[in-house]
Amino acid sequence: EKIHKLIANAQAQKHALMQQLLPQGLHAPRKRLRGFSAPLTATTIAKMGQVSSGGTPDSASPDCWGGTIAWATPTDITKLRSRHIHQTERSLTALGLSSSSAKVVPIGSIIVCTRATIGELAIAAALMTTNQGFKNIVPNSKHNSDFIYYLLAHNKKALVRAAGGSTFAEISKADFEKLAFLIPAIDEQKSIATVLINADEAI
């Protein structure tokens, strides 16, 4: 009972930190970390790095499956207990990769569910591909992977609102790239991410 109370308290503290330090869309965060005062910049996801979609090879072709290339589905993400994904239930062969629109993203990429469980996400801790239910961000030098992870997790409702489609909800690549947030420079991003990583480790 004491442990559960400690965990609940740590989770509440993390939630409060995210509410204070991270922007809600183009609304400035409630607080800035000490020592940082540079202006925040309205930044679209497209400007955070390279964005790509996933793909799925022919499911009836056994030569496409069971290789060494990790291939993530939303199920792999929803069962995670941390922000990192190291391995996936299914994997592709080189043929599977070349015969589909799936692309390998490097370690540190943020893979975001944009169909079905919209807004669920993880940071790739290994070379990774995904199915078409994802949009994947390879951050550029001005943006920190951990910060983007927490930013999008905090703005999950904005991702859900951006989804459209009559058959099932999905965020298009164009709409995903247009999502904008008021964010700080890279040094402040890293400092905010460190605070939230410490909160996660406490939990």
Side-chain angles (χ1 to χ4, degrees), residues 2 8 12-13 30 42-43 49 73 78 95 111 115 125 133 165 177 190 198-199:
K2 287 181 180 179
Q13 288 180 344
R30 297 176 185 174
T43 306
T73 68
T78 54
L95 176 63
I111 63 174
R115 180 189 293 183
E177 290 182 320
K190 291 178 179 177
N198 289 339

Side-chain angles (χ1 to χ4, degrees), residues 143-193:
H143 297 90
N144 175 263
S145 293
D146 292 302
F147 177 82
I148 295 175
Y149 170 87
Y150 288 116
L151 174 72
L152 296 183
H154 181 58
N155 284 273
K156 182 178 178 178
K157 289 181 180 178
L159 271 67
V160 173
R161 288 195 298 268
S166 56
T167 306
F168 49 79
E170 180 176 14
I171 309 174
S172 69
K173 184 172 180 287
D175 288 341
F176 183 73
E177 290 182 320
K178 285 190 293 187
L179 290 170
F181 307 93
L182 200 60
I183 65 172
I186 184 71
D187 288 347
E188 190 173 355
Q189 291 176 35
K190 291 178 179 177
S191 295
I192 292 169

Side-chain angles (χ1 to χ4, degrees), residues 23-44:
Q24 197 79 42
L26 293 174
H27 296 285
R30 297 176 185 174
K31 290 186 179 180
R32 303 284 295 275
L33 291 177
R34 186 176 299 174
F36 294 102
S37 58
L40 304 176
T41 304
T43 306
T44 62

Side-chain angles (χ1 to χ4, degrees), residues 96-148:
L97 179 63
S98 64
S99 64
S100 73
S101 57
K103 296 177 178 65
V104 177
V105 295
I107 293 170
S109 301
I110 300 92
I111 63 174
V112 187
C113 295
T114 51
R115 180 189 293 183
T117 51
I118 293 172
E120 297 296 318
L121 72 166
I123 300 172
L127 295 178
M128 190 77 51
T129 63
T130 68
N131 74 4
Q132 62 272 25
F134 289 80
K135 301 294 179 289
N136 308 314
I137 309 168
V138 182
N140 57 35
S141 60
K142 294 182 178 180
H143 297 90
N144 175 263
S145 293
D146 292 302
F147 177 82
I148 295 175

